[in-house]
């Protein structure tokens, strides 16, 4: 009886500790931002949010993040495929390098892009000849976002591909399906949940990126100023409410994405 | 489909998986490829299917060489060991897949799927996903899916391996009936001799990549052509010194010859149980095991230890009991030859005429 009581106390203690941790670390700050954004009233919030530069920053961020996500879906799925399905020297090294963008400080990533794609670099000069500039323009933002979100899709697709029964593919062949039909109708549907959840995570991470982008984007308001850099600027110029208003927008967006990811995964487990 | 295979060889790296296999299969037969795991049965099946390339030899379907034909064009239905159902498709979707990729019309697909659902007893489960089905149901979906495009040959890789013992029995006879009814040539792989004996018209015993023997289950049981086949089919014990057994003294003429004795070749009992007491030797019961429907008796006969069955209706034996042992026949083999030898003393030495 006493041990049962003890067990109950333990479980109650653990649960409360975890709840408290969540509260202090995540829920309070979020509520704080929502509260702060409305601290000077609805009209102030509305004017901050309808400020054209703020809007443009948010829209630009979403647009850039979407493009980066599409790139990641294509390249990430292909990379996962190659890393799982092909055997070649250096495969293991490549596979471990995938996580590098997670481990690297994003500012270092920004610096790498700065040096690699700058006007004096080979790539920079080449693009100059072709008639467009990468650095301090939108392509640089996309490249920075793609770099930092690169692992998400790969890491989400890999386990699904690995888990997939090779016989499922062979079954399709035996039933007369060509390689292409087998890919579209059997392999891709198997990878799809991974592609989707990886893409969602990559997208929300790209929305939030600061360190890498701030170094390479040029941060011209209305042109290459993304939301996180805008928030930073507002704080620097002491407009906390303006900063929180944009933050609320991003936060709400991220929540929606997170919820969708969870929903997709739940459905995968259930069905 | 008439199938002919000649000089088939397959290597995986240094490992010779299939060695010079030749056979011919008549249309409509149900063939069991039987042998220990890793013996090359599945490799043969996969080469027939086109999922594995052929190193040497020829595979002919209806007299036409198909070695270089991709699996898509061979017109074969394949049931995989773990069924390999498409997880993201319903039962209907799985069965329809082969018809859709062959561009059948919508109505024809619908009719064919309905027909197969009916045939395999899956009515009511059409909209379910594979993970919502039991093992036996999944097996039937795999079967329906393989049959949907009307193949001329059905290959089954360990079709019952993943199913628990009780349902396995039901499914076996179900499959047997189904294949009989459809008249489709079928080959299945198994390592379970009961399964092969019960289901197959013809058994091919495969060991270490070689085809050891091909024939009906009864032929193989009665006339095993190699010691491996003799020991693989049925239960048996090997006796090193045959000539010491009563009635097999003549075997001393072939030194180095061993005997394989099946439980059903041996009879034990009280002296009064035998008509020809002179053909029996004294033995001692070592162990008795209850086998559910009979006793398994281990009996010691000189240096040899034999195993036999005993009906539950007879008097129960106990370890240590002295019994008379009659060996009806033995399967003798040495390095070059093998043959069946009857107990010489069973032929009455002094027939009494009144």
């Amino acid at each position: 009886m006493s041990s049962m009581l003890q067990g109950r106390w333990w479980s109650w203690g653990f649960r409360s500790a975890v709840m408290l941790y969540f509260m202090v670390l995540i829920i309070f700050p979020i509520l704080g931002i929502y509260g702060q954004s409305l601290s000077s009233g609805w009209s102030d919030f509305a004017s901050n949010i309808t400020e054209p530069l703020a809007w443009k920053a948010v829209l630009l961020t979403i647009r850039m993040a979407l493009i980066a996500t599409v790139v990641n879906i294509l390249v990430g799925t292909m990379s996962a495929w190659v890393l799982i399905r092909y055997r070649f020297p250096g495969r293991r090294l490549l596979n471990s390098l995938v996580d590098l963008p997670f481990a690297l400080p994003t500012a270092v990533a920004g610096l790498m892009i700065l040096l690699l794609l700058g006007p004096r670099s080979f790539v920079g000069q080449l693009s100059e000849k072709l008639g467009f500039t990468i650095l301090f323009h939108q392509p640089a933002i996309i490249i920075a976002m793609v770099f930092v979100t690169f692992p998400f899709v790969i890491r989400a697709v890999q386990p699904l591909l690995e888990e997939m029964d090779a016989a499922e593919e062979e079954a399709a062949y035996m039933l007369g399906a060509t390689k292409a039909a087998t890919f579209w109708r059997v392999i891709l549907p198997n990878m799809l949940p991974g592609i989707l959840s990886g893409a969602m995570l990559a997208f929300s991470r790209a929305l939030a990126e600061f360190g890498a982008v701030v170094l390479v984007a040029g941060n011209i308001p209305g042109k290459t100023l993304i939301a996180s850099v805008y928030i930073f600027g507002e704080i620097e110029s002491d407009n906390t409410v303006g900063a929180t208003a944009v933050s609320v927008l991003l936060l709400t967006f991220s929540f929606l994405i997170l919820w969708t990811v969870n929903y997709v995964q739940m459905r995968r487990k259930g069905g | 489909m008439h199938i002919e295979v000649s000089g088939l060889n397959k290597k995986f790296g240094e490992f010779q998986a299939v060695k010079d296999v030749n056979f011919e299969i008549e249309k409509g037969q149900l063939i069991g490829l039987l042998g220990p795991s890793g013996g090359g049965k599945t490799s043969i099946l996969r080469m027939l299917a086109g999922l594995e390339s052929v190193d040497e030899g020829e595979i002919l379907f209806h007299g036409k060489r198909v070695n270089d034909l991709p699996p898509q064009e061979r017109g074969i239905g394949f049931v995989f060991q773990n069924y390999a159902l498409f997880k993201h498709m319903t039962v209907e979707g799985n069965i329809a897949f082969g018809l859709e990729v062959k561009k059948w019309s919508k109505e024809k697909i619908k009719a064919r799927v309905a027909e197969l659902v009916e045939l395999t007893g899956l009515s009511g489960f059409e909209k379910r996903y594979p993970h919502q089905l039991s093992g036996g149901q999944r097996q039937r979906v795999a079967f329906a899916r393989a049959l949907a495009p009307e193949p001329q040959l059905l290959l089954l890789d360990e079709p019952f391996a993943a199913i628990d013992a009780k349902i396995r029995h039901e499914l076996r006879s179900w499959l047997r009936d189904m294949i009989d009814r459809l008249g489709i040539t079928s080959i299945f792989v198994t390592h379970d001799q009961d399964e092969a004996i019960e289901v197959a018209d013809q058994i091919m015993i495969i060991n270490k990549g070689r085809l050891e023997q091909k024939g009906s289950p009864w032929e193989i049981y009665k006339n095993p052509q190699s010691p491996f086949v003799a020991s693989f089919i049925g239960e048996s014990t090997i006796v090193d010194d045959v000539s010491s057994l009563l009635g097999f003294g003549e075997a001393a003429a072939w030194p180095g010859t061993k005997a394989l004795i099946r439980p059903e070749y041996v009879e034990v009992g009280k002296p009064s149980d035998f008509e020809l007491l002179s053909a029996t030797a004294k033995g001692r019961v070592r162990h008795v095991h209850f086998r559910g429907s009979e006793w398994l008796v281990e009996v010691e006969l000189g240096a040899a230890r034999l195993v036999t069955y005993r009906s539950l209706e007879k008097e129960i034996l106990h370890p240590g009991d002295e019994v008379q042992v009659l060996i009806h026949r033995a399967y003798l083999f040495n390095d070059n030859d093998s043959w069946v030898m009857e107990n010489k003393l069973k032929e009455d030495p002094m027939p009494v005429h009144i």
Side-chain angles (χ1 to χ4, degrees), chain B residues 55-347:
Chain B
D55 286 353
E56 258 176 69
E58 294 213 312
I59 299 176
L60 306 175
F61 290 168
H62 289 309
K64 247 189 249 149
R65 189 172 185 272
V66 295
N67 284 31
D68 305 316
L69 216 57
Q72 286 92 338
E73 290 163 33
R74 293 199 185 188
I76 293 177
F78 201 112
V79 176
F80 288 84
Q81 184 166 2
N82 295 310
Y83 319 135
L85 297 178
F86 304 128
K87 290 190 273 300
H88 57 284
M89 294 183 202
T90 58
V91 169
E92 258 177 349
N94 267 285
I95 300 174
F97 182 88
L99 310 175
E100 283 165 6
V101 297
K102 287 210 170 68
K103 307 259 176 344
W104 282 31
S105 71
K106 279 237 158 62
E107 304 84 69
K108 268 181 81 184
I109 292 178
K110 223 178 150 195
R112 180 74 178 146
V113 170
E115 187 186 332
L116 280 159
V117 164
E118 180 70 45
L119 183 79
T120 50
L122 286 163
S123 307
F125 295 96
E126 296 96 329
K127 302 282 181 221
R128 296 238 189 141
Y129 284 90
H131 70 96
Q132 297 167 317
L133 300 173
S134 71
Q137 287 168 332
R138 274 181 227 178
Q139 217 253 359
R140 283 183 278 165
V141 177
F143 188 71
R145 180 179 70 175
L147 285 177
E150 295 168 344
Q152 294 195 53
L153 171 65
L154 184 66
L155 304 177
L156 306 108
D157 188 4
E158 300 266 6
F160 309 108
I163 291 173
D164 48 281
K166 247 204 155 140
I167 305 170
R168 203 180 312 172
H169 258 290
E170 278 169 42
L171 268 176
R172 262 189 223 162
S173 39
W174 176 81
L175 190 74
R176 169 85 253 195
D177 290 350
M178 197 62 51
I179 288 172
D180 276 348
R181 223 190 308 164
L182 298 168
I184 180 172
T185 314
S186 307
I187 304 176
F188 72 99
V189 158
T190 180
H191 59 261
D192 180 344
Q193 52 153 317
D194 295 340
E195 196 168 296
I197 288 171
E198 203 173 303
V199 179
D201 295 324
Q202 295 253 306
I203 295 178
M204 290 201 262
I205 308 247
I206 312 282
N207 181 39
K208 293 190 182 145
R210 284 183 199 281
L211 174 59
E212 297 262 349
Q213 190 171 353
K214 177 172 183 281
S216 73
W218 175 237
E219 267 165 37
I220 286 182
Y221 172 83
K222 215 175 43 181
N223 249 328
Q225 274 156 25
S226 72
F228 174 79
V229 174
S231 61
F232 193 74
I233 289 282
E235 285 183 70
S236 57
T237 30
I238 306 272
V239 176
D240 289 335
D241 185 12
V242 206
S243 51
S244 71
L245 298 176
L246 196 64
F248 295 90
E250 286 176 18
W254 301 283
T257 298
K258 296 180 180 181
L260 182 144
I261 298 174
R262 297 188 191 285
E264 53 272 36
Y265 294 172
V266 180
E267 228 178 300
V268 293
K270 295 266 141 61
S272 57
D273 293 344
F274 297 95
E275 280 176 29
L276 257 173
L277 208 57
S278 58
T280 67
K282 264 197 184 4
R284 191 172 289 279
V285 176
R286 294 287 310 192
H287 289 291
V288 283
H289 308 275
F290 182 54
R291 273 292 191 84
S293 53
E294 71 217 336
W295 292 103
L296 183 84
V297 181
E298 273 180 52
V299 54
E300 206 172 38
L301 195 65
R305 243 192 215 202
L306 300 173
V307 175
T308 182
Y309 307 126
R310 187 173 164 86
S311 163
L312 295 178
E313 298 302 322
K314 293 197 177 155
E315 192 188 336
I316 294 172
L317 295 174
H318 299 282
D321 285 357
E322 211 164 73
V323 285
Q324 296 301 119
V325 182
L326 171 64
I327 302 166
H328 289 280
R329 71 187 68 80
Y331 175 78
L332 303 189
F333 62 94
N334 53 31
D335 292 342
N336 317 312
D337 207 359
S338 60
W339 66 99
V340 174
M341 188 179 187
E342 296 289 330
N343 187 333
K344 294 289 180 239
L345 297 176
K346 262 176 71 188
E347 296 148 28

